Each structure stands twice: as structure tokens, then as C-alpha cells.
Coordinates of all heavy atoms in Angstrom, one line a residue:
M8 N 2.9 -21.8 -4.0 CA 1.6 -21.1 -4.4 C 1.7 -19.6 -4.2 O 2.2 -19.2 -3.2 CB 0.5 -21.7 -3.4 CG -0.9 -21.2 -3.7 SD -2.0 -21.8 -2.5 CE -3.0 -20.4 -2.2
T9 N 1.1 -18.9 -5.1 CA 1.1 -17.5 -5.0 C -0.3 -17.0 -4.7 O -1.3 -17.4 -5.4 CB 1.6 -16.8 -6.4 OG1 2.9 -17.3 -6.7 CG2 1.5 -15.3 -6.3
R10 N -0.4 -16.2 -3.7 CA -1.7 -15.6 -3.3 C -1.9 -14.4 -4.2 O -1.0 -13.8 -4.7 CB -1.7 -15.1 -1.9 CG -1.7 -16.2 -0.9 CD -1.8 -15.6 0.5 NE -1.5 -16.6 1.5 CZ -2.1 -16.5 2.7 NH1 -2.9 -15.5 3.1 NH2 -1.8 -17.4 3.7
T11 N -3.2 -14.0 -4.4 CA -3.5 -12.8 -5.2 C -4.3 -11.9 -4.4 O -5.1 -12.3 -3.6 CB -4.2 -13.1 -6.5 OG1 -5.4 -13.8 -6.3 CG2 -3.3 -14.0 -7.4
L12 N -4.1 -10.6 -4.7 CA -4.8 -9.5 -4.0 C -5.1 -8.4 -5.0 O -4.2 -8.0 -5.7 CB -4.0 -8.9 -2.8 CG -4.6 -7.8 -2.1 CD1 -5.9 -8.2 -1.3 CD2 -3.6 -7.2 -1.0
D13 N -6.4 -8.1 -5.2 CA -6.8 -7.0 -6.1 C -7.1 -5.8 -5.3 O -8.1 -5.8 -4.6 CB -8.0 -7.5 -6.9 CG -8.4 -6.5 -8.0 OD1 -7.9 -5.4 -8.0 OD2 -9.1 -7.0 -8.9
I14 N -6.3 -4.8 -5.5 CA -6.5 -3.5 -4.8 C -6.8 -2.4 -5.8 O -6.7 -1.2 -5.4 CB -5.3 -3.1 -3.9 CG1 -4.0 -3.0 -4.7 CG2 -5.2 -4.1 -2.7 CD1 -2.9 -2.4 -3.9
T15 N -7.3 -2.7 -7.0 CA -7.5 -1.7 -8.0 C -8.7 -0.8 -7.6 O -8.7 0.3 -8.2 CB -7.8 -2.4 -9.4 OG1 -8.9 -3.3 -9.2 CG2 -6.6 -3.1 -9.9
G16 N -9.5 -1.2 -6.7 CA -10.6 -0.3 -6.4 C -10.3 0.6 -5.1 O -11.2 1.3 -4.7
L17 N -9.1 0.5 -4.6 CA -8.8 1.2 -3.4 C -7.9 2.4 -3.8 O -7.3 2.5 -4.8 CB -8.0 0.3 -2.4 CG -8.7 -0.9 -2.0 CD1 -7.8 -1.7 -1.1 CD2 -10.0 -0.5 -1.2
R18 N -7.9 3.4 -2.8 CA -7.0 4.6 -2.9 C -5.9 4.5 -1.8 O -6.1 3.9 -0.8 CB -7.8 5.9 -2.8 CG -8.8 6.1 -3.8 CD -9.5 7.4 -3.6 NE -10.1 8.0 -4.8 CZ -9.4 8.7 -5.7 NH1 -8.1 8.8 -5.6 NH2 -10.0 9.2 -6.8
C19 N -4.8 5.2 -2.1 CA -3.8 5.3 -1.1 C -4.3 6.1 0.1 O -5.1 7.0 -0.1 CB -2.5 6.0 -1.6 SG -1.6 5.0 -2.8
P20 N -4.0 5.7 1.3 CA -3.0 4.7 1.8 C -3.6 3.3 2.0 O -2.9 2.4 2.4 CB -2.5 5.3 3.1 CG -3.7 5.9 3.7 CD -4.4 6.5 2.5
M21 N -4.9 3.2 1.7 CA -5.5 1.8 1.9 C -4.9 0.8 1.0 O -4.9 -0.4 1.4 CB -7.0 1.9 1.6 CG -7.8 2.7 2.7 SD -7.4 2.0 4.4 CE -8.0 0.4 4.3
T22 N -4.3 1.1 -0.1 CA -3.7 0.1 -1.0 C -2.6 -0.6 -0.2 O -2.5 -1.8 -0.2 CB -3.1 0.8 -2.2 OG1 -2.3 1.9 -1.9 CG2 -4.2 1.2 -3.2
W23 N -1.7 0.1 0.5 CA -0.6 -0.5 1.2 C -1.1 -1.1 2.5 O -0.7 -2.2 2.9 CB 0.5 0.5 1.6 CG 1.5 -0.1 2.5 CD1 1.8 0.3 3.7 CD2 2.3 -1.2 2.3 NE1 2.8 -0.5 4.3 CE2 3.1 -1.5 3.4 CE3 2.5 -2.1 1.2 CZ2 4.0 -2.5 3.5 CZ3 3.4 -3.2 1.3 CH2 4.1 -3.3 2.4
V24 N -2.1 -0.6 3.2 CA -2.7 -1.2 4.4 C -3.2 -2.6 4.1 O -2.9 -3.5 4.8 CB -3.8 -0.3 5.0 CG1 -4.6 -1.0 6.1 CG2 -3.2 1.1 5.5
R25 N -4.0 -2.7 3.0 CA -4.6 -4.0 2.6 C -3.5 -5.0 2.3 O -3.5 -6.2 2.6 CB -5.6 -3.9 1.5 CG -6.9 -3.3 1.8 CD -7.8 -4.2 2.7 NE -7.9 -5.5 2.1 CZ -8.8 -5.8 1.1 NH1 -9.6 -4.9 0.7 NH2 -8.8 -7.0 0.7
T26 N -2.5 -4.5 1.5 CA -1.3 -5.4 1.1 C -0.6 -5.8 2.4 O -0.3 -7.0 2.5 CB -0.4 -4.6 0.2 OG1 -1.2 -4.2 -1.0 CG2 0.7 -5.5 -0.3
K27 N -0.3 -4.9 3.3 CA 0.4 -5.2 4.5 C -0.3 -6.3 5.3 O 0.3 -7.2 5.9 CB 0.7 -4.0 5.3 CG 1.5 -4.2 6.5 CD 1.8 -2.9 7.2 CE 2.6 -3.2 8.5 NZ 2.7 -2.0 9.3
L28 N -1.6 -6.1 5.5 CA -2.4 -7.0 6.3 C -2.4 -8.4 5.6 O -2.3 -9.4 6.4 CB -3.9 -6.6 6.4 CG -4.1 -5.4 7.3 CD1 -5.6 -4.9 7.1 CD2 -3.8 -5.7 8.7
E29 N -2.4 -8.5 4.3 CA -2.4 -9.8 3.6 C -1.0 -10.4 3.9 O -0.9 -11.6 4.1 CB -2.7 -9.6 2.2 CG -2.8 -10.9 1.4 CD -4.0 -11.8 1.8 OE1 -5.0 -11.2 2.3 OE2 -4.0 -13.0 1.7
L30 N 0.1 -9.6 3.8 CA 1.4 -10.1 4.0 C 1.6 -10.7 5.4 O 2.3 -11.7 5.6 CB 2.5 -9.1 3.7 CG 2.7 -8.7 2.2 CD1 3.5 -7.4 2.1 CD2 3.4 -9.8 1.5
E31 N 1.0 -10.0 6.4 CA 1.1 -10.5 7.8 C 0.5 -11.8 8.0 O 0.8 -12.5 8.9 CB 0.5 -9.4 8.7 CG 1.3 -8.2 8.8 CD 0.6 -7.1 9.6 OE1 -0.6 -7.2 10.0 OE2 1.3 -6.0 9.8
R32 N -0.5 -12.2 7.1 CA -1.1 -13.5 7.2 C -0.3 -14.7 6.6 O -0.7 -15.8 6.7 CB -2.5 -13.5 6.6 CG -3.5 -12.6 7.2 CD -4.9 -12.7 6.5 NE -5.7 -11.7 7.0 CZ -6.2 -10.6 6.3 NH1 -5.8 -10.5 5.0 NH2 -6.9 -9.7 6.8
M33 N 0.8 -14.3 5.9 CA 1.5 -15.2 5.1 C 2.8 -15.6 5.9 O 3.3 -14.9 6.7 CB 1.9 -14.6 3.8 CG 0.7 -14.3 2.9 SD 1.0 -13.2 1.5 CE 2.4 -14.1 0.7
A34 N 3.4 -16.8 5.5 CA 4.6 -17.3 6.0 C 5.8 -16.7 5.2 O 5.6 -16.4 4.0 CB 4.7 -18.8 6.0
P35 N 6.9 -16.6 5.8 CA 8.1 -16.1 5.1 C 8.4 -17.0 3.9 O 8.2 -18.2 3.9 CB 9.3 -16.2 6.1 CG 8.6 -16.1 7.4 CD 7.3 -16.7 7.2
G36 N 8.7 -16.4 2.7 CA 8.9 -17.1 1.5 C 7.7 -17.3 0.6 O 7.8 -17.6 -0.6
E37 N 6.5 -17.0 1.1 CA 5.3 -17.1 0.3 C 5.2 -15.8 -0.6 O 5.7 -14.8 -0.2 CB 4.0 -17.1 1.2 CG 3.8 -18.5 1.8 CD 2.4 -18.6 2.5 OE1 2.2 -17.8 3.4 OE2 1.6 -19.4 2.0
A38 N 4.6 -16.0 -1.7 CA 4.5 -14.9 -2.7 C 3.1 -14.4 -2.8 O 2.1 -15.1 -2.6 CB 4.9 -15.4 -4.1
L39 N 3.0 -13.1 -3.0 CA 1.7 -12.4 -3.1 C 1.8 -11.6 -4.4 O 2.7 -10.7 -4.6 CB 1.5 -11.5 -1.9 CG 0.2 -10.6 -2.0 CD1 -1.0 -11.5 -1.9 CD2 0.2 -9.6 -0.8
A40 N 0.8 -11.8 -5.3 CA 0.7 -11.0 -6.5 C -0.4 -9.9 -6.3 O -1.6 -10.3 -6.1 CB 0.3 -11.9 -7.7
V41 N -0.1 -8.7 -6.3 CA -1.0 -7.6 -6.0 C -1.3 -6.8 -7.3 O -0.4 -6.3 -8.0 CB -0.4 -6.6 -5.0 CG1 -1.4 -5.5 -4.6 CG2 0.1 -7.4 -3.8
R42 N -2.6 -6.8 -7.7 CA -3.0 -6.0 -8.8 C -3.3 -4.6 -8.4 O -4.2 -4.4 -7.5 CB -4.3 -6.6 -9.4 CG -4.0 -7.9 -10.2 CD -5.2 -8.4 -11.0 NE -5.8 -7.4 -11.8 CZ -7.1 -7.2 -12.0 NH1 -8.0 -8.0 -11.4 NH2 -7.5 -6.3 -12.8
C43 N -2.5 -3.7 -8.9 CA -2.6 -2.3 -8.5 C -3.2 -1.4 -9.5 O -3.0 -1.7 -10.7 CB -1.2 -1.7 -8.2 SG -0.4 -2.4 -6.8
P44 N -3.9 -0.3 -9.1 CA -4.3 0.7 -10.1 C -3.1 1.4 -10.6 O -2.1 1.6 -9.8 CB -5.3 1.6 -9.4 CG -4.9 1.4 -7.9 CD -4.3 0.0 -7.8
P45 N -3.0 1.9 -11.8 CA -1.9 2.7 -12.2 C -1.8 4.0 -11.4 O -2.8 4.5 -10.9 CB -2.2 3.0 -13.7 CG -3.4 2.3 -14.1 CD -4.0 1.7 -12.8
G46 N -0.6 4.5 -11.3 CA -0.4 5.8 -10.6 C 0.2 5.7 -9.2 O 1.1 4.9 -9.0
E47 N -0.4 6.4 -8.3 CA 0.2 6.5 -6.9 C 0.4 5.1 -6.3 O 1.5 4.8 -5.7 CB -0.7 7.4 -6.1 CG 0.0 7.7 -4.7 CD -0.9 8.7 -3.9 OE1 -2.1 8.9 -4.3 OE2 -0.4 9.2 -2.9
A48 N -0.6 4.2 -6.3 CA -0.5 2.9 -5.7 C 0.6 2.1 -6.3 O 1.3 1.4 -5.6 CB -1.8 2.2 -5.8
L49 N 0.8 2.2 -7.6 CA 1.8 1.4 -8.3 C 3.2 1.9 -7.9 O 4.2 1.1 -8.1 CB 1.6 1.4 -9.8 CG 2.2 0.4 -10.7 CD1 2.0 -1.0 -10.2 CD2 1.8 0.5 -12.1
E50 N 3.3 3.1 -7.4 CA 4.6 3.6 -6.9 C 4.8 3.2 -5.4 O 5.8 2.8 -5.0 CB 4.7 5.1 -7.1 CG 4.7 5.5 -8.6 CD 4.5 7.0 -8.7 OE1 4.8 7.7 -7.7 OE2 4.2 7.5 -9.8
N51 N 3.7 3.4 -4.7 CA 3.8 3.3 -3.2 C 3.9 1.9 -2.7 O 4.6 1.6 -1.8 CB 2.6 4.0 -2.5 CG 2.7 5.5 -2.7 OD1 3.8 6.1 -3.0 ND2 1.6 6.2 -2.5
V52 N 3.1 1.0 -3.3 CA 3.1 -0.4 -2.8 C 4.4 -1.1 -2.9 O 5.0 -1.6 -2.0 CB 1.9 -1.2 -3.4 CG1 2.1 -2.7 -3.1 CG2 0.6 -0.7 -3.0
P53 N 5.1 -1.0 -4.1 CA 6.4 -1.6 -4.2 C 7.4 -1.0 -3.3 O 8.2 -1.7 -2.7 CB 6.8 -1.5 -5.7 CG 5.5 -1.1 -6.4 CD 4.6 -0.5 -5.4
R54 N 7.4 0.3 -3.2 CA 8.4 1.0 -2.4 C 8.2 0.6 -0.9 O 9.1 0.3 -0.2 CB 8.2 2.6 -2.5 CG 9.3 3.3 -1.7 CD 9.1 4.8 -1.7 NE 7.9 5.1 -0.9 CZ 6.9 5.7 -1.3 NH1 6.8 6.2 -2.5 NH2 5.8 6.0 -0.5
S55 N 7.0 0.6 -0.4 CA 6.7 0.3 1.0 C 7.1 -1.2 1.3 O 7.6 -1.5 2.3 CB 5.2 0.5 1.3 OG 4.9 1.9 1.2
A56 N 6.8 -2.1 0.3 CA 7.1 -3.5 0.5 C 8.7 -3.7 0.5 O 9.2 -4.4 1.4 CB 6.6 -4.3 -0.7
R57 N 9.4 -2.9 -0.3 CA 10.9 -3.0 -0.2 C 11.4 -2.5 1.1 O 12.3 -3.1 1.7 CB 11.5 -2.2 -1.4 CG 11.4 -2.9 -2.7 CD 12.2 -2.1 -3.8 NE 12.0 -2.7 -5.1 CZ 11.1 -2.2 -6.0 NH1 10.4 -1.1 -5.7 NH2 10.9 -2.8 -7.1
E58 N 10.8 -1.3 1.5 CA 11.2 -0.8 2.8 C 11.0 -1.7 4.0 O 11.7 -1.7 5.0 CB 10.5 0.6 3.0 CG 11.0 1.7 2.1 CD 10.2 3.0 2.2 OE1 9.2 3.0 3.0 OE2 10.5 3.9 1.6
A59 N 9.9 -2.6 3.8 CA 9.6 -3.5 4.9 C 10.5 -4.8 4.8 O 10.4 -5.7 5.6 CB 8.2 -3.9 4.8
G60 N 11.4 -4.8 3.8 CA 12.4 -5.9 3.6 C 12.0 -7.1 2.7 O 12.6 -8.1 2.6
H61 N 10.8 -6.9 2.0 CA 10.4 -8.0 1.1 C 11.0 -7.9 -0.2 O 11.5 -6.8 -0.6 CB 8.9 -7.9 1.0 CG 8.1 -7.9 2.3 ND1 8.1 -9.0 3.1 CD2 7.3 -7.0 2.8 CE1 7.4 -8.7 4.2 NE2 6.9 -7.5 4.0
D62 N 11.1 -9.0 -1.0 CA 11.6 -9.0 -2.3 C 10.4 -8.6 -3.2 O 9.3 -9.1 -3.1 CB 12.1 -10.4 -2.7 CG 12.6 -10.5 -4.1 OD1 13.5 -9.7 -4.4 OD2 12.2 -11.4 -4.9
V63 N 10.7 -7.6 -4.1 CA 9.6 -7.1 -4.9 C 10.0 -7.0 -6.4 O 11.1 -6.7 -6.8 CB 9.3 -5.6 -4.5 CG1 8.2 -5.0 -5.3 CG2 9.0 -5.6 -3.0
Q64 N 9.0 -7.4 -7.3 CA 9.1 -7.3 -8.7 C 7.9 -6.7 -9.2 O 6.8 -7.1 -8.8 CB 9.3 -8.7 -9.4 CG 10.6 -9.4 -9.0 CD 10.7 -10.8 -9.6 OE1 9.7 -11.3 -10.1 NE2 11.9 -11.4 -9.6
V65 N 8.0 -5.8 -10.2 CA 6.8 -5.1 -10.8 C 6.8 -5.5 -12.2 O 7.7 -5.4 -13.0 CB 6.9 -3.6 -10.7 CG1 5.7 -2.9 -11.3 CG2 7.1 -3.2 -9.2
E66 N 5.6 -6.1 -12.6 CA 5.3 -6.5 -14.0 C 4.0 -5.8 -14.4 O 3.0 -6.3 -14.1 CB 5.2 -8.0 -14.1 CG 6.5 -8.7 -13.7 CD 6.3 -10.2 -13.3 OE1 5.1 -10.7 -13.5 OE2 7.3 -10.8 -12.9
G67 N 4.1 -4.7 -15.2 CA 2.9 -4.0 -15.6 C 2.3 -3.4 -14.3 O 2.9 -2.6 -13.6
T68 N 1.0 -3.8 -14.1 CA 0.3 -3.3 -13.0 C 0.2 -4.3 -11.8 O -0.6 -4.2 -10.9 CB -1.2 -2.8 -13.3 OG1 -1.8 -3.9 -13.9 CG2 -1.1 -1.6 -14.3
T69 N 1.0 -5.4 -12.0 CA 1.0 -6.4 -10.9 C 2.4 -6.3 -10.2 O 3.4 -6.2 -10.8 CB 0.9 -7.8 -11.5 OG1 -0.4 -7.9 -12.2 CG2 1.0 -8.9 -10.5
V70 N 2.3 -6.3 -8.9 CA 3.4 -6.2 -8.0 C 3.6 -7.6 -7.3 O 2.6 -8.0 -6.7 CB 3.3 -5.1 -6.9 CG1 4.5 -5.1 -6.0 CG2 3.1 -3.8 -7.6
R71 N 4.7 -8.3 -7.6 CA 4.9 -9.6 -7.0 C 5.8 -9.4 -5.8 O 6.9 -8.9 -5.9 CB 5.5 -10.5 -8.0 CG 5.6 -11.9 -7.4 CD 6.1 -12.9 -8.5 NE 6.1 -14.3 -8.0 CZ 7.0 -14.9 -7.3 NH1 8.1 -14.2 -6.9 NH2 6.9 -16.1 -6.9
I72 N 5.3 -9.8 -4.6 CA 6.0 -9.6 -3.3 C 6.3 -11.0 -2.7 O 5.3 -11.7 -2.5 CB 5.2 -8.7 -2.3 CG1 4.8 -7.4 -3.0 CG2 6.0 -8.5 -1.1 CD1 3.8 -6.6 -2.2
V73 N 7.5 -11.2 -2.4 CA 7.9 -12.4 -1.6 C 8.1 -12.0 -0.2 O 9.0 -11.2 0.1 CB 9.1 -13.2 -2.2 CG1 9.4 -14.4 -1.4 CG2 8.8 -13.6 -3.7
R74 N 7.3 -12.6 0.7 CA 7.4 -12.2 2.1 C 8.8 -12.5 2.7 O 9.3 -13.6 2.5 CB 6.3 -12.8 2.9 CG 6.2 -12.2 4.3 CD 5.2 -13.0 5.1 NE 4.8 -12.4 6.4 CZ 5.6 -12.3 7.5 NH1 6.9 -12.7 7.4 NH2 5.2 -11.8 8.6
A75 N 9.4 -11.5 3.4 CA 10.7 -11.8 4.1 C 10.5 -12.5 5.3 O 9.4 -12.6 5.9 CB 11.3 -10.4 4.4

């Protein structure tokens, strides 16, 4: 099952804060699909997730993160 999180109404750094909080509620191996606004968040969320050790794929404005 993939959880979804819509952060299109948020600005950085809250985009990553909300994403990180959601990831912390998940078990390793679970997936999270994050709908990002174009621009800064679409760059920062995937980068921060990779730096945290998660598997990340970007498809358009959706960032798919598999919790490490």
C-alpha cells in the first residue's frame, strides 16, 4: 500500500518537515507518494529524502519515497 501526502499548498522548509513527519509514522519498506508544488519543493524534498537514506523516484510533480 502506498500512502499519499499532498504538500502543494506548503512552502519550504515545511514541505520537507511534513514529509519527514509522515515518513516517521511509516514502517521500513512502506511507500509514500508526495504531491509537490513545482520549483523549490520539487528539488528539496527528493534531495532531503535521499540524504536521509530513502529510495526516491520523481515522476512529474510526484515524489515516490520508499522508507529505509
Side-chain angles (χ1 to χ4, degrees):
M8 181 183 142
T9 299
R10 293 184 190 209
T11 58
L12 178 64
D13 185 343
I14 58 169
T15 55
L17 301 176
R18 295 183 156 278
C19 289
M21 286 308 296
T22 53
W23 173 241
V24 171
R25 286 290 307 279
T26 303
K27 184 178 177 188
L28 288 172
E29 190 66 27
L30 287 167
E31 288 173 354
R32 295 184 190 111
M33 296 168 54
E37 283 189 299
L39 177 64
V41 184
R42 287 188 52 218
C43 292
E47 191 178 9
L49 197 52
E50 296 171 15
N51 291 343
V52 169
R54 185 187 71 239
S55 297
R57 282 187 190 100
E58 289 173 357
H61 306 296
D62 181 51
V63 179
Q64 295 176 347
V65 180
E66 299 161 2
T68 57
T69 299
V70 179
R71 187 173 187 276
I72 305 169
V73 177
R74 190 184 189 293

